Amino acid sequence: MNLTARIESDYLAAMRARDELVVGVLRMLKAAAKMRQVELLRPLSDDELLDVLAKQAKQRRESIEQFSKAGRTDLADKEERELAVLLAYMPAPLTEAELAAAVDAAVAELDARSMKDMGRVVQAVLAAHKGRVEGKRVSDAVKARLAS
């Protein structure tokens, strides 16, 4: 079952179960996916849907951070529950060891020697591990690797 069908199936099941949290999160996700589909003028592939999912998850993480700083734990908790629903549809994130190996492989493949090559290395790692790692983590790992 592809990701779009899985999301639709889970959405209908959550509606039947009257699970307001899951219904709300999946409704927002479907709306964001539909907007992206309209922009592209074609149905989304699973990779493109993963990009939409990652963007939604990033928004939740930023909201959690802002609400926590403002002392609004009630809203931060709600965002954390929504984030958990979204993460269920994303592939397992890379471990630190896997990320380090991916960065080393990209550095070797691209023959990167200085910080000037950082952008190419980051793009290569992100493309190879789409949806499994955040750009900030990759950027930090590449920066540490090229600085040494």
Side-chain angles (χ1 to χ4, degrees), residues 33-89:
K34 186 68 173 175
M35 286 177 43
R36 183 71 179 135
Q37 182 177 338
V38 168
E39 287 174 9
L40 296 175
L41 300 174
R42 61 178 168 73
L44 297 179
S45 68
D46 276 354
D47 279 346
E48 292 163 337
L49 188 55
L50 274 176
D51 289 341
V52 172
L53 256 169
K55 189 174 185 179
Q56 292 287 311
K58 182 178 179 185
Q59 287 175 351
R60 297 305 189 293
R61 285 187 186 101
E62 290 170 354
S63 295
I64 291 167
E65 181 181 328
Q66 293 299 319
F67 289 142
S68 295
K69 283 182 183 175
R72 294 296 309 266
T73 56
D74 55 329
L75 295 175
D77 291 342
K78 180 180 181 280
E79 293 290 328
E80 285 176 0
R81 290 192 306 271
E82 290 180 1
L83 179 61
V85 172
L86 290 173
L87 292 179
Y89 295 97

